[in-house]
Amino acid sequence: MYNMKRIVLGILLLVIAPISWATCPDGQEEHSRSGECQSIAGFASTGKMKSHPYGGTCESVNRHTAIFIAQKVVSGGGGIKLPRGQSICKHNVELIKNNNDKILDITTGLGDGIRSAYWTDIGTIPGRRRFEMQFRRVVEINRGFRLEYSVRLPAHNTWMKGIPSGGAQYFWITQLHSGTRGTMPALRVMVRKSKGIFINVGSPPTKIQDVSDFGKWVKIKLEYKPTRGNKGFKRLWVNDQLVVNENNIQTIRSRAGYWGDHFNLKFGIYQGVNRMGPYSDFDPRAVVENSTEQQSIQFKNIYFTKI
C-alpha cells in the first residue's frame, strides 16, 4: 500500500508541471501560504537559449508544461492541446498573476511555428510566425458552441517593419478551421495595427475594439453554429453588450468539402503572411530587420462549450 502511494505521488508530480508567477524569478513560484518564492520541482525549462532550426532563439519547454500553464485560464472544451509539430519556447507561453487575475501571455518571434513541410520557410519569411493552442473537443457541422474570453494587446507587442498597411501588420488570435490545407477558417478573430480587433464570421467583419483602446481588456462572447443550411446562428456580445444577433441563417459556404464537417477551435497567434511589402518573400534584409520584432497577445477567462 505504501509503495502504491509513492507511485501515485510520483505520477502526480510528473503531470503537474510548474508555473512561474510574475512576482518570482524564473523557475520559482509563490508558496500558497507564506507567499515566499520557492523552487518549482521539475520545472521543464532548459535554462539555456538555443538557435531555432529556422532562425531566432528558443529556450525550449516541454508540451506538458505549456499546456498546464495555459490550462490555468481555460475551462471547458475537454481540455487543450498543441498542434502536432509545433515548436514550444519559454517566451511563447507565460502565466501572469495580477491580484486575482490569471493572464495568459502568448508571444511569437522569429522562427516560431510548425515544424512541418508546409512551414519550413518560417526562418526566411519573417512574417511566418505561429503559436497556437486548440481545444480537444472538435466542433461538428450543424452543432452550435459558445466561446468566451477577455483579450488585450499588451505594450510589449511590436509590429513588423518595412511593411505597407496590408502586409503582416495583423495576425489572427482565434480561428475555427477544418484542418484542410489551403482553406480559410470558418471563423477568425484578427488584430490589425491600423484598425483594431475584428471578428469575421461572414461578411462584413465586426469591430470588437478600436486602435485607440489597444492595451485595454475587451470581453468577447460568441455563440455560433456552423452550417450550410438555414438553421445556423451567430450572436456576439462585446463587453456584455449584444452587437450581433442573426438566427436561421447559413453561416458557411455551401460547397461540400471546402470547409469540412469537423473543425478545430484554436487561440494564440497565427501570422501566416508570406508577402513582406518592399521585400521579396525570401529577401534576407527582411529577416534581419524583423529579427527582434515580436507579436504578443494576452487572454484571460477562456471558456468553450457546446450548446
Side-chain angles (χ1 to χ4, degrees):
M1 186 66 181
Y2 176 71
N3 288 335
M4 181 61 68
K5 289 181 178 179
R6 292 184 64 185
I7 292 172
V8 172
L9 178 59
I11 293 173
L12 288 173
L13 288 174
L14 288 173
V15 172
I16 301 175
I19 302 170
S20 175
W21 302 117
T23 55
C24 291
D26 292 339
Q28 297 186 7
E29 64 179 349
E30 288 185 5
H31 189 276
S32 59
R33 294 181 179 178
S34 69
E36 296 179 354
C37 293
Q38 62 181 11
S39 297
I40 303 174
F43 183 72
S45 171
T46 63
K48 297 181 180 179
M49 299 300 291
K50 65 179 183 179
S51 296
H52 254 316
Y54 309 126
T57 57
C58 175
E59 182 180 341
S60 297
V61 297
N62 65 44
R63 300 174 71 85
H64 297 296
T65 300
I67 291 170
F68 183 76
I69 289 173
Q71 195 70 60
K72 289 296 181 179
V73 301
V74 176
S75 58
I80 55 176
K81 63 180 181 179
L82 292 164
R84 182 178 299 176
Q86 181 166 271
S87 60
I88 312 168
C89 307
K90 185 180 177 182
H91 65 257
N92 291 145
V93 54
E94 179 185 1
L95 187 67
I96 301 170
K97 189 176 182 182
N98 182 18
N99 296 323
N100 293 325
D101 280 341
K102 293 179 180 178
I103 300 168
L104 178 65
D105 185 287
I106 294 179
T107 295
T108 58
L110 180 64
D112 292 340
I114 299 293
R115 295 178 180 175
S116 72
Y118 302 135
W119 279 73
T120 54
D121 53 1
I122 56 177
T124 51
I125 300 179
R128 284 273 199 186
R129 295 159 186 216
R130 178 176 180 178
F131 185 85
E132 292 181 295
M133 294 188 166
Q134 69 184 53
F135 291 97
R136 290 186 175 276
R137 183 171 294 158
V138 174
V139 176
E140 300 173 353
I141 194 76
N142 301 322
R143 181 68 186 268
F145 68 88
R146 179 184 299 119
L147 173 67
E148 301 178 34
Y149 58 66
S150 293
V151 64
R152 73 175 174 187
L153 190 71
H156 55 267
N157 173 75
T158 54
W159 301 95
M160 297 291 186
K161 301 174 183 176
I163 303 165
S165 58
Q169 291 182 309
Y170 69 88
F171 51 86
W172 299 347
I173 59 173
T174 306
Q175 60 169 316
L176 182 69
H177 201 283
S178 67
T180 304
R181 184 169 180 257
T183 62
M184 290 293 288
L187 175 157
R188 61 188 183 274
V189 181
M190 177 188 298
V191 182
R192 299 188 69 97
K193 179 181 180 181
S194 60
K195 296 184 178 181
I197 302 178
F198 291 82
I199 185 167
N200 192 331
V201 283
S203 184
T206 302
K207 179 177 281 191
I208 294 171
Q209 186 179 67
D210 190 70
V211 175
S212 60
D213 289 323
F214 277 170
K216 299 178 182 178
W217 287 104
V218 57
K219 181 182 178 182
I220 301 167
K221 181 170 80 170
L222 172 71
E223 294 181 349
Y224 179 70
K225 181 179 179 180
T227 181
R228 299 183 183 91
N230 60 359
K231 297 296 184 180
F233 55 78
K234 52 182 179 180
R235 308 169 191 133
L236 174 66
W237 290 259
V238 178
N239 292 328
D240 297 319
Q241 298 294 315
L242 182 64
V243 295
V244 175
N245 186 15
E246 299 181 18
N247 302 281
N248 299 317
I249 58 171
Q250 178 182 341
T251 55
I252 61 175
R253 297 186 183 184
S254 58
R255 287 196 297 172
Y258 185 79
W259 294 107
D261 292 335
H262 299 86
F263 306 88
N264 295 315
L265 183 59
K266 306 176 183 180
F267 62 93
I269 293 177
Y270 178 100
Q271 188 151 43
V273 177
N274 62 1
R275 297 287 176 184
M276 296 303 297
Y279 301 122
S280 65
D281 284 359
F282 298 94
D283 194 316
R285 292 177 298 171
V287 178
V288 173
E289 188 171 4
N290 288 286
S291 61
T292 60
E293 302 306 313
Q294 64 179 27
Q295 294 70 56
S296 301
I297 196 71
Q298 292 181 340
F299 296 94
K300 63 179 181 179
N301 303 324
I302 302 174
Y303 176 69
F304 169 57
T305 187
K306 291 182 178 181
I307 55 176

